[in-house]
Amino acid sequence: MAHKKGNQTYILDKDVIVRHSECIVGQKESEGPLGKYFDQKADDDFGMDTWEKGEAKFVEATYKKLLSRCDIEENLIDCILAGDLLNQCTSSACGLKESGRPFLGLYGACSTMAESLVNGSLLVDGGGMNNVVCMTSSNFCSAEKQFRFPLELGCQRAPNSQWTVTGCGAVLLSSGGNGPRITSVTPGIIRDYEISDTNNMGAAMAPAAASTIIAHLSDLERDISYYDLVMTGDLGLTGRELCRDILKMHGINAPKEIYDDCGAIIFDPEQGTCAGGSGCGCCASVLCGYLLKLMEQKQINKLLFIATGALMSAVSTKQGEPIPGIAHAVAIENI
Amino acid sequence: MGSDNLTKLNGPKYEKMKQDRSMKSNLLVDCAIAFVSGGFICIIAQVFKDIITSGKLVDLLGTADEKSASALTVLFMVFLGALLTSLNVYDNIGKVCGAGSIVPITGFANSIVSSAMEFRSEGHILGVGAQMFICAGPVIVYGTAASVIAGLFYFLFTMG
């Protein structure tokens, strides 16, 4: 059973192995700087007649790909933890309705990948489950429709706005097998610094990310240099620098060799993505397609993965409510 | 409330940090592009109007008087905006031109057609019918309200 250390960190006592991971991304993501690491791409609609069905298809295809590539019998999957950005998490539910396995829907906005890993690893560690799939997805077109404007509307994007990543990432956590281990998890605390600009969500989430990193390091009495790489989820170019500033303010030096952000590296600004990528699928595809591959090749051995979420809705922002941020941390290590 | 580990951060301080780190748009360049591109759209409309009033294309369009030429020009520009939207072109124009392509009536057509296209998947009644004015609606509502106020002033100042 996991045990608590400090204010909010849990150290896992049993082996929780990241046995396999898969991702599928959209066309634009495959043309970005990390394109060569993403081995499967698809159109945003995945050949379906609506964006929403397309996103569900991303989820279904990624789940099937995960099962076929890691050679596990379907009925050995004890639980699937999944979530997305669409109202009532329909992409995950529709995409996994044929799976025939227990499903728990999650919502943590763009922090859902880490939220599912936190829950999944605790379930494997102490909940009697042996194989848990953690996955999330997002889709540029369906997210634009729900949160912003129609796709064909001829408007300009604000310089600090972010581009929702089309992509789905899935991880299989097991109590046995080979792969890096999840060693500790830090569920985050909601932080609200009164940012209400939906075109600057990196700024809304940066304090939450910094707060979780500080909590994780102080709970475990670690220095940031313990990790080879600390990756936040989707703060983007603006949020990444704000997070760095807040960390520095609290005595943590996070140079670019150690700390970076998935949203800041998934796109090239030349792609017209303004401050970078966002969405559940952003850090999910970077984790599954890129970071875990680096771990597999032993280029990095200790990774702190912090997915960040902006806890707003289309209604709350129209009513002028500020956007609270959240971030959950997962430590993944080659042992 | 629980303790906050961001002891050195507070609202006003963070607001300032946000301002410092946020990327700014270049207002002067954006205005210049909007001015030129918006003017270019108006030139297209003016050329169309001149052609139909000049009578050079009598066989094709007939010759229009001043009043119906204005109405026909508006129709033509709305059609042009709608056509370019449906061909997935207008959003790319908008990315570069900004307000230059939003403010003219082509932009108004774009806002309606783009919404209709977006919500087509939700059906013709509750999708297209109910949602096609989500962007253009405010323009219609406040345009009408403003014209009532303007009309009132016009009435008051021309009474005597």
Side-chain angles (χ1 to χ4, degrees), chain A residues 50 141 145 150-156 159-160 191 193 195 200 203 206-207 211 214-215 238 241-242 245-246 249-250 275, chain B residues 4-8 13-14 17-18 21-23 25 88 91 94-96 98 102 110-111 114-115 117-119 121-122 135:
Chain A
T50 70
C141 301
K145 182 178 168 185
L151 284 183
E152 297 301 327
L153 188 71
C155 58
Q156 285 177 325
N160 298 294
R191 297 285 177 221
Y193 281 83
I195 304 292
N200 201 346
S211 166
I214 295 167
T238 311
E241 296 315 313
L242 281 167
D245 290 346
I246 301 170
M249 216 185 234
H250 293 83
Chain B
D4 188 340
N5 63 356
L6 300 178
T7 46
K8 298 197 170 65
K13 200 171 180 179
Y14 189 56
M17 284 168 68
K18 188 196 94 173
R21 282 292 185 190
S22 294
M23 296 178 271
S25 35
N88 300 352
D91 59 323
K95 269 176 208 159
V96 182
I102 291 174
N110 165 253
S111 73
S114 63
S115 306
M117 288 164 73
E118 189 84 0
F119 290 96
S121 64
E122 292 173 27
C135 298

Side-chain angles (χ1 to χ4, degrees), chain B residues 43-141:
Chain B
I43 292 172
I44 297 173
Q46 189 63 48
V47 168
F48 178 82
K49 193 178 168 191
D50 287 351
I51 290 172
I52 56 173
T53 43
S54 70
K56 279 180 189 154
L57 292 170
V58 175
D59 295 341
L60 194 64
L61 296 164
T63 310
D65 59 44
E66 183 66 26
K67 203 175 169 188
S68 49
S70 294
L72 275 170
T73 307
V74 169
L75 272 177
F76 173 71
M77 294 312 281
V78 166
F79 170 74
L80 200 64
L83 180 73
L84 290 175
T85 305
S86 64
L87 297 173
N88 300 352
V89 174
Y90 206 88
D91 59 323
N92 294 321
I93 298 173
K95 269 176 208 159
V96 182
C97 303
S101 60
I102 291 174
V103 175
I105 202 159
T106 45
F108 186 70
N110 165 253
S111 73
I112 296 172
V113 176
S114 63
S115 306
M117 288 164 73
E118 189 84 0
F119 290 96
R120 196 173 66 100
S121 64
E122 292 173 27
H124 290 288
I125 308 294
L126 295 175
V128 176
Q131 310 268 27
M132 73 191 290
F133 292 102
I134 53 162
C135 298
V139 181
I140 298 171
V141 171

Side-chain angles (χ1 to χ4, degrees), chain A residues 39-316:
Chain A
D39 59 359
Q40 190 178 346
K41 63 173 185 185
D43 287 332
D44 277 14
D45 61 4
F46 218 117
M48 309 302 281
D49 57 355
T50 70
W51 306 123
E52 290 76 10
K53 277 193 218 166
E55 187 176 341
K57 193 79 184 163
F58 263 92
V59 176
E60 187 185 347
T62 310
Y63 177 70
K64 283 184 178 161
K65 191 178 168 197
L66 182 80
L67 289 193
S68 66
R69 292 273 176 93
C70 65
D71 197 25
I72 183 169
E73 296 223 7
E74 199 161 349
N75 56 12
L76 292 177
I77 302 291
D78 296 317
C79 190
I80 307 167
L81 303 172
D84 56 85
L85 290 180
L86 295 194
N87 288 332
Q88 285 77 42
C89 292
T90 43
S91 311
S92 305
C94 296
L96 295 166
K97 65 185 176 187
E98 309 286 338
S99 69
R101 300 309 302 157
F103 165 76
L104 295 174
L106 298 175
Y107 185 79
C110 312
S111 73
T112 310
M113 191 67 218
E115 188 180 359
S116 66
L117 288 171
V118 167
N119 280 288
S121 48
L122 290 172
L123 285 170
V124 172
D125 183 84
M129 293 187 179
N130 289 315
N131 298 295
V132 173
V133 174
C134 303
M135 62 191 300
T136 59
S137 74
S138 59
N139 182 299
F140 173 73
C141 301
S142 60
E144 283 291 300
K145 182 178 168 185
Q146 181 171 312
F147 292 105
R148 286 186 225 245
F149 298 114
L151 284 183
E152 297 301 327
L153 188 71
C155 58
Q156 285 177 325
R157 303 180 78 82
N160 298 294
S161 68
Q162 289 171 257
W163 189 279
T164 307
V165 165
T166 297
C168 179
V171 168
L172 173 66
L173 296 181
S174 289
S175 54
N178 296 319
R181 270 183 61 182
I182 295 185
T183 50
S184 59
V185 294
T186 307
I189 295 171
I190 300 169
R191 297 285 177 221
D192 183 1
Y193 281 83
E194 303 278 317
I195 304 292
S196 54
D197 182 3
T198 49
N199 287 318
N200 201 346
M201 300 230 272
M205 299 185 286
S211 166
T212 303
I213 294 171
I214 295 167
H216 179 85
L217 296 176
S218 70
D219 285 350
L220 296 178
E221 294 158 15
R222 277 178 189 165
D223 189 75
I224 195 164
S225 58
Y226 174 87
Y227 292 101
D228 299 327
L229 193 58
V230 174
M231 285 297 274
T232 46
D234 59 347
L235 299 180
L237 298 168
T238 311
R240 178 183 66 184
E241 296 315 313
L242 281 167
C243 181
R244 218 192 288 275
D245 290 346
I246 301 170
L247 288 174
K248 192 160 191 179
M249 216 185 234
H250 293 83
I252 296 171
N253 191 19
K256 63 176 187 292
E257 301 78 42
I258 296 183
Y259 166 64
D260 215 325
D261 178 78
C262 301
I265 62 168
I266 191 166
F267 291 123
D268 187 323
E270 295 291 309
Q271 290 177 284
T273 48
C274 299
S278 69
C280 308
C282 176
C283 59
S285 50
V286 173
L287 176 73
C288 299
Y290 175 59
L291 298 173
L292 289 171
K293 277 189 191 135
L294 292 185
M295 293 203 78
E296 197 180 324
Q297 295 159 2
K298 311 275 188 222
Q299 289 189 41
I300 52 170
N301 290 311
K302 292 184 168 76
L303 169 72
L304 186 64
F305 174 72
I306 309 111
T308 44
L311 301 174
M312 39 71 87
S313 76
V315 175
S316 72

Side-chain angles (χ1 to χ4, degrees), chain A residues 2-52:
Chain A
H3 65 277
K4 187 175 173 182
K5 191 156 191 309
N7 187 45
Q8 59 192 93
T9 301
Y10 295 84
I11 296 175
L12 306 182
D13 295 327
K14 287 198 208 157
D15 285 353
V16 179
I17 314 282
V18 178
R19 204 158 119 191
H20 198 76
S21 66
E22 285 294 343
C23 74
I24 301 177
V25 298
Q27 181 68 30
K28 197 180 184 83
E29 290 69 20
S30 70
E31 290 164 1
L34 301 180
K36 60 175 189 248
Y37 295 98
F38 300 136
D39 59 359
Q40 190 178 346
K41 63 173 185 185
D43 287 332
D44 277 14
D45 61 4
F46 218 117
M48 309 302 281
D49 57 355
T50 70
W51 306 123
E52 290 76 10

